[in-house]
Amino acid sequence: MKEKDLIKRYYLTEEDDIKGEVSEDKLAVIRINLDAVKGTKPDDNMSELEGWIRLIAAETYEEACEVVNKSKNPLLKEALEELVEFSKQDFVQEYCAKEMEERKKWKEKKEKSSK
């Protein structure tokens, strides 16, 4: 997958600057396209950047494991292990339970309003 499909960089320019010089060193906004990797499988040749993007975009533990196993970057495995440990903490579990309940209520409300 090409980096240009995964990431877009936006830089500041000065409105009054007639030369249109880009101030790359002052501020850059980087947008990562997580949808670019959805529905595709990681391969052994993925770049380090693609590995991180795939790990962030993974929706299940199995997807994340597949990325880690295909990647040559040992930091991805460490990051996944840290995420797993973090997700076991009580406050994270409580937050997830509340979030799931809110999503359920929102979905029910949406279904009622569409009838």
Side-chain angles (χ1 to χ4, degrees):
M1 187 159 296
K2 295 179 182 174
E3 184 176 321
K4 69 180 181 110
D5 297 331
L6 297 174
I7 194 164
K8 298 285 184 198
R9 291 176 175 84
Y10 301 91
Y11 301 103
L12 261 182
T13 59
E14 231 181 280
E15 185 178 45
D16 299 336
D17 184 6
I18 57 174
K19 296 177 189 173
E21 292 180 20
V22 177
S23 303
E24 293 180 29
D25 58 332
K26 297 203 171 43
L27 176 71
V29 175
I30 299 173
R31 183 179 62 89
I32 299 171
N33 183 6
L34 298 178
D35 291 334
V37 296
K38 295 214 185 220
T40 62
K41 296 284 186 187
D43 60 31
D44 296 329
N45 299 324
M46 70 180 152
S47 68
E48 188 173 321
L49 174 64
E50 185 180 343
W52 282 108
I53 291 172
R54 285 184 178 281
L55 183 61
I56 292 167
E59 293 182 357
T60 65
Y61 177 72
E62 289 76 19
E63 287 177 16
C65 286
E66 185 176 8
V67 171
V68 167
N69 291 335
K70 292 277 185 174
S71 174
K72 296 175 179 91
N73 184 351
L75 292 177
L76 288 179
K77 184 175 182 179
E78 287 181 41
L80 180 57
E81 289 170 356
E82 288 293 324
L83 284 169
V84 168
E85 287 304 309
F86 178 76
S87 68
K88 290 179 183 178
Q89 296 183 23
D90 289 341
F91 77 93
V92 175
Q93 295 289 323
E94 290 168 10
Y95 176 83
C96 288
K98 287 178 187 175
E99 185 68 22
M100 289 179 69
E101 186 62 34
E102 288 298 317
R103 286 183 185 189
K104 182 179 175 184
K105 287 178 187 177
W106 181 81
K107 186 177 179 182
E108 289 170 355
K109 185 177 179 181
K110 187 177 175 183
E111 288 173 356
K112 285 181 184 177
S113 67
S114 66
K115 290 182 181 180

